[in-house]
């Protein structure tokens, strides 16, 4: 249903031209439909594929697979949680590679008791180290699913479910409804299940193709607006040609309040206590007391200028005492990424959401070296340097051109400083003009003072 603005529209009718009125109303009515759209990953989603592989006397056995087709957004610990509502009175007899969080009321069953009798089951992945007889391929990673561009092999998660009290043919089976995906918190909206062509499988010897008996898909898209009420990261800037350090905007992710425990002061006994006793259940960020109050800060420093190249240093700092970021990633947008010559201690992949524009890069840590961003504290940072080759037709240090257009951390858009606050290249002509103006102003004031005392 489109929003209705009776009084607002009436006011606009009186004050605006018909063209402006049409544009404003269109933008208002289409905002909610695009809130999950990501311009840098327009086709990103998580697709849940439900393949029925065999029939049973009272139902079927299915393999459920989640594919993370998002280029740079992953699901980190404590992992995904998948839920749905059964269309009839189905039960889950058994599961391999996952489990439901509750069994529900199975009192009417004698002898062989189902794994879950709830109308709305909630399923979680099993942990690493699960016995082999309880595993299937791509399971048992604690619900962690990596980003597609970062680790395609790790961007899949699967489990097997045996469903009873269900249909036993393609015509009598009913697809579940109201799918929900937590990863690990809110943010994903899932479509209704849609029956599609059965999935085909290649046998291990690659000499035979088998086929699912029935397949349906569910597509889940992410919205940062739904995931959290406030941003989760911010950007600060500096350069060698200007002494100004532009910090993250004040209150970028919230403001300090007088409530005890809202943030932790650094270099205090309380910060040491928090670092030594991390919470494994509370995912609410407990951040270091700063002016921006963001869990993550990315700093972009224009470090050096050479004849044909220029160098940038990027530093990621974790201010969150409750979170270690594993398999973190950055997405940066800058017009000179099409001439990136070398990157030190980070992995790099070019992202081209639109043909002909190579201005977006994805960066992530080197495995076993800096792919783990520790909680707030002395070790809570990672850094690298980027070397760009100058394109003489576009390169300049003027008007903030050397700074990124936007930055994402783990798929969330970070708060940038306002463009008028960027460290600008000093202008000698401007300084000379100001010096001359100041001299003339001083002389004029002195002359007025002399006249006053004459």
């Amino acid at each position: 249903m489109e929003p209705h603005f009776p009084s607002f529209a009436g006011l606009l009718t009186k004050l605006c031209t018909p063209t402006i009125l049409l544009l404003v109303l269109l933008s208002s009515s289409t905002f909610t439909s695009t809130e999950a759209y990501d311009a840098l990953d327009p086709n990103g989603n998580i697709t849940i594929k439900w393949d029925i592989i065999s029939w049973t006397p009272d139902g079927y056995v299915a393999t459920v697979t989640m594919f993370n087709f998002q280029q740079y957004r992953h699901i980190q610990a404590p992992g995904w949680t998948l839920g749905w509502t059964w269309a009839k009175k189905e039960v889950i007899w058994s599961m391999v590679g996952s489990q439901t969080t509750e069994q529900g009321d199975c009192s009417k069953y004698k002898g062989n008791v189902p794994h879950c009798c709830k109308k709305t089951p909630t399923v979680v992945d099993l942990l690493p180290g699960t016995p082999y007889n309880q595993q299937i391929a791509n399971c048992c990673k604690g619900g962690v699913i990596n980003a597609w561009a970062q680790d395609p092999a790790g961007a899949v998660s699967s489990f097997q479910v045996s469903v009873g009290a269900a249909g036993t043919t393609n015509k009598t089976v009913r697809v579940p409804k109201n799918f929900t995906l937590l990863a690990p918190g809110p943010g994903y909206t899932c479509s209704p299940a849609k029956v599609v062509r059965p999935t085909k499988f290649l046998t291990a010897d690659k000499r035979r193709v088998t086929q699912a008996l029935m397949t349906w898909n569910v597509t889940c898209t992410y919205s940062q607006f739904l995931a959290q009420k406030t941003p989760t990261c911010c950007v600060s800037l500096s350069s060698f040609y200007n002494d100004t350090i532009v910090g993250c905007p004040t209150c970028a992710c919230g403001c300090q309040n007088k409530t005890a425990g809202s943030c932790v002061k650094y270099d205090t006994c309380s910060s040491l206590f928090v670092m030594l006793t991390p919470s494994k259940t509370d995912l609410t960020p407990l951040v270091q007391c700063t002016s921006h109050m963001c869990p993550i800060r990315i700093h972009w420093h224009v470090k050096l200028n050479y004849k044909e190249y220029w160098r940038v240093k990027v530093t990621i700092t974790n201010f969150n005492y409750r979170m270690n970021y594993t398999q973190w990633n950055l997405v940066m947008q800058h017009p000179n990424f099409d001439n990136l010559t070398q990157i030190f201690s980070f992995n790099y992949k070019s992202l081209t959401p639109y043909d002909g524009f190579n201005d977006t890069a994805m960066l992530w840590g080197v495995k076993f070296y800096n792919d783990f961003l520790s909680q707030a504290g002395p070790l809570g940072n990672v850094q690298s340097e980027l070397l760009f080759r100058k394109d003489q037709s576009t390169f300049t240090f003027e008007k903030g051109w050397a700074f990124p257009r936007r930055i994402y951390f783990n798929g969330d858009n970070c708060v940038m400083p306002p463009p008028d606050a960027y460290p600008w290249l000093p202008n000698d002509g401007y300084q000379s003009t100001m010096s001359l103006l100041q001299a003339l102003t001083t002389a004029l004031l002195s002359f007025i003072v002399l006249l006053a005392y004459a």
Side-chain angles (χ1 to χ4, degrees):
M1 181 181 293
E2 295 191 1
H4 182 56
F5 309 106
S7 59
F8 182 53
L11 180 61
L12 286 174
T13 304
K14 295 180 180 180
L15 298 179
C16 301
T17 65
T19 303
I20 296 176
L21 175 62
L22 178 62
L23 291 174
V24 171
L25 292 179
L26 284 176
S27 64
S28 301
S29 62
T30 57
F31 174 75
T32 55
S33 64
T34 58
E35 65 182 8
Y37 177 79
D38 188 344
L40 299 184
D41 189 13
N43 300 315
N45 67 76
I46 292 181
T47 297
I48 303 169
K49 186 178 290 290
W50 193 298
D51 294 309
I52 296 179
I53 57 176
S54 65
W55 301 112
T56 62
D58 70 335
Y60 59 85
V61 175
T63 298
V64 181
T65 307
M66 286 184 279
F67 298 92
N68 183 11
F69 292 125
Q70 298 173 113
Q71 294 292 314
Y72 45 79
R73 187 173 291 109
H74 65 274
I75 299 178
Q76 59 189 16
W80 55 262
T81 301
L82 181 65
W84 62 83
T85 301
W86 290 118
K88 298 191 292 185
K89 296 182 179 180
E90 293 91 337
V91 296
I92 298 176
W93 282 114
S94 62
M95 302 189 78
V96 181
S98 69
Q99 63 183 4
T100 59
T101 56
E102 296 182 47
Q103 183 182 30
D105 183 8
C106 297
S107 57
K108 70 177 183 179
Y109 289 89
K110 308 297 181 181
N112 191 14
V113 179
H115 176 82
C116 177
C117 300
K118 287 180 66 68
K119 178 77 171 178
T120 56
T122 301
V123 177
V124 294
D125 194 14
L126 297 182
L127 298 175
T130 297
Y132 289 112
N133 62 349
Q134 299 176 27
Q135 294 188 28
I136 67 167
N138 298 313
C139 84
C140 312
K141 297 180 286 187
V144 174
I145 306 180
N146 292 334
W148 189 262
Q150 190 171 354
D151 181 16
V156 184
S157 184
S158 301
F159 62 88
Q160 192 175 91
V161 57
S162 177
V163 182
T168 56
T169 68
N170 288 26
K171 293 183 179 180
T172 57
V173 165
R174 296 291 179 265
V175 300
K177 303 178 294 183
N178 304 328
F179 277 85
T180 59
L181 177 64
L182 301 179
Y188 284 90
T189 302
C190 297
S191 69
K194 180 181 179 181
V195 177
V196 296
R197 290 182 178 180
T199 304
K200 294 184 178 181
F201 305 96
L202 189 64
T203 58
D205 60 5
K206 300 182 180 180
R207 300 177 64 188
R208 173 176 163 82
V209 176
T210 60
Q211 181 174 301
L213 304 177
M214 186 177 181
T215 298
W216 56 80
N217 284 353
V218 177
T219 302
C220 301
T221 55
Y222 179 83
S223 168
Q224 186 175 350
F225 177 77
L226 296 176
Q228 59 266 324
K229 296 180 180 179
T230 59
T232 58
C233 54
C234 64
V235 179
S236 58
L237 309 169
S238 63
S239 66
F240 71 89
Y241 54 76
N242 193 314
D243 292 336
T244 302
I245 298 177
V246 180
C248 289
T250 302
C251 296
C253 302
C255 296
Q256 293 188 38
N257 55 51
K258 297 181 181 179
T259 305
S262 60
C263 64
V264 178
K265 293 183 179 180
Y266 187 58
D267 286 339
T268 62
C269 293
S270 57
S271 66
L272 180 61
F273 175 77
V274 171
M275 284 189 288
L276 294 177
T277 56
S279 173
K280 295 183 179 181
T281 56
D282 191 356
L283 299 179
T284 305
L286 180 59
V287 300
Q288 182 180 316
C289 295
T290 60
S291 60
H292 53 78
M293 293 295 287
C294 290
I296 294 291
R297 183 190 67 194
I298 294 95
H299 186 75
W300 176 287
H301 175 65
V302 181
K303 185 176 180 179
L304 291 170
N305 182 31
Y306 306 105
K307 182 178 180 181
E308 297 182 357
Y309 300 90
W310 61 293
R311 185 186 291 254
V312 169
K313 182 177 181 180
V314 176
T315 305
I316 310 170
T317 304
N318 186 4
F319 292 99
N320 188 357
Y321 286 99
R322 285 183 177 155
M323 179 66 73
N324 297 316
Y325 294 91
T326 305
Q327 295 289 330
W328 60 266
N329 65 63
L330 279 181
V331 173
M332 295 183 163
Q333 193 172 36
H334 190 280
N336 214 164
F337 269 118
D338 59 346
N339 285 324
L340 180 64
T341 302
Q342 190 173 3
I343 183 169
F344 305 89
S345 72
F346 281 0
N347 288 308
Y348 160 79
K349 180 180 177 64
S350 175
L351 299 179
T352 52
Y354 305 103
D355 293 339
F357 293 92
N358 183 19
D359 64 348
T360 307
M362 178 176 171
L363 312 177
W364 67 95
V366 177
K367 193 171 184 179
F368 304 126
Y369 176 60
N370 58 2
D371 62 333
F372 181 83
L373 177 57
S374 183
Q375 67 187 60
L379 302 178
N381 68 86
V382 292
Q383 57 189 12
S384 181
E385 295 191 3
L386 292 73
L387 186 66
F388 296 96
R389 181 171 57 84
K390 296 179 181 178
D391 183 346
Q392 298 302 331
S393 63
T394 59
F395 175 81
T396 179
F397 280 134
E398 296 180 353
K399 299 180 180 179
W401 183 91
F403 299 105
R405 306 304 183 257
R406 70 174 108 184
I407 291 180
Y408 286 39
F409 179 80
N410 278 358
D412 287 338
N413 200 359
C414 300
V415 180
M416 299 283 296
D420 59 352
Y422 286 14
W424 281 39
L425 184 68
N427 189 319
D428 293 336
Y430 174 78
Q431 287 184 335
S432 300
T433 303
M434 288 301 295
S435 299
L436 179 60
L437 181 61
Q438 290 173 352
L440 291 174
T441 303
T442 303
L444 180 61
L445 289 175
S446 300
F447 180 71
I448 293 174
V449 172
L450 290 174
L451 288 177
Y453 282 97

